[in-house]
Amino acid sequence: MLILLPISISVICLSIVSALSEKNYRKLLENTYSYKLEAIFRENELAIEKIIQSIPSLSKENDFMQLITDNSADASFTNISNTTEALRLIKENNKYIDSIAIINRTTHMVYSTNGNSTAEQYFYEEFRYNNYNFSYWKNYKAPLSKYQILPPTAVMEYDTPKTIMPIVFTQVGNIKFPHLVIVNINIEKVLELTQQQVLTPESNFLFINKKDSQTFAPASFKSKINNSSFFEKIADDTISIFNFKDNNNKKQLVVAYSSSRSLSGYCFAVMVPYSDISKQSGGFRLALIILVCIALLATLATAYMSTKQI
């Protein structure tokens, strides 16, 4: 009976080694990342929904309403000060917001959480949108909806590069106004917070615009995605899992989650190099093989001792 114990241990260890093969480790990653991506998507949607609701909540603030509806050039210091303070509170309560600005298209003044300046100074020196210059904002036509989420763009805040997704408001409740309220979402911040949930060293989360074939990734992501098939493989309202070779011919496991009900119109994905999967599963296998060897040696030693006693 004594010899059965090491043999049992060996069988159990061999079963564990088999279960933690590269294939099974990949499946574990797929399932875990699928769950994480849905949770990340919901968290992102809630954050954007909170932002969308925060600007209309200022409709009870007289100073704010006067500043965004008045076409005259005589905004008082109190109006400006109280309004920018209210905008700062909204920013402080949402980790994705980079800044908020009110663009007075009559006086060409900007009142933002970073300070007040002329529109020319703001758009050409302080906060330069790569895809949306001063002329774009002067001629901006309000959509039928109360707000519009614009595609992300590179921005230079003085000499600091950023990637910003603007949300533009032109209506609060039933009141339409001639000026613009722009909430700038910091995509790097979104990715930074998301990247904290990686499961392997080289995994990278992506923020993806399928419609315009855009991907936004952390600075650590060195690959480039310029293959249309990548975006075509991401289906709506479900988890998509597929293999993909990047521009460096590096094989990657891709897990993506997309929803047609997304407020921003974007989806999230994670890319895991197969080299990561091999390394991580290989470490488990090596450790367990050592355990199997120890168990087998114990079996042999027990058998030998039993033979000597006979």
Side-chain angles (χ1 to χ4, degrees), residues 240-291:
S240 304
I241 300 172
F242 55 92
N243 294 326
F244 182 78
K245 284 190 176 180
D246 61 19
N247 60 309
N248 297 318
N249 205 35
K250 192 174 182 180
K251 189 178 179 182
Q252 308 254 5
L253 168 66
V254 180
V255 184
Y257 180 75
S258 176
S259 172
S260 58
R261 298 179 298 277
S262 169
L263 291 172
S264 65
Y266 291 77
C267 63
F268 286 93
V270 62
M271 293 184 72
V272 187
Y274 264 81
S275 56
D276 252 19
I277 298 173
S278 297
K279 288 175 185 176
Q280 297 294 310
S281 59
F284 282 117
R285 282 200 301 271
L286 178 60
L288 291 167
I289 286 171
I290 291 172
L291 286 175

Side-chain angles (χ1 to χ4, degrees), residues 21-37:
S21 64
E22 185 170 315
K23 181 179 178 180
N24 286 283
Y25 183 68
R26 169 188 158 157
K27 191 65 180 176
L28 175 65
L29 282 178
E30 290 175 359
N31 292 337
T32 308
Y33 272 135
S34 295
Y35 172 79
K36 281 182 175 287
L37 284 168

Side-chain angles (χ1 to χ4, degrees), residues 3 21 51 63 76 114 126 154 160-161 182 215 223 234 238 245 263 310:
I3 197 170
S21 64
I51 292 168
D63 290 309
S76 70
N114 294 334
E126 298 175 6
T160 303
I182 306 173
T215 58
S223 302
I234 301 176
T238 187
K245 284 190 176 180
L263 291 172
I310 294 172

Side-chain angles (χ1 to χ4, degrees), residues 45-65:
E45 289 293 289
L46 285 172
I48 292 179
E49 185 177 357
K50 182 180 176 183
I51 292 168
I52 291 170
Q53 293 172 351
S54 65
I55 299 302
S57 70
L58 295 176
S59 61
K60 297 178 182 179
E61 300 286 339
N62 292 331
D63 290 309
F64 171 78
M65 293 305 296

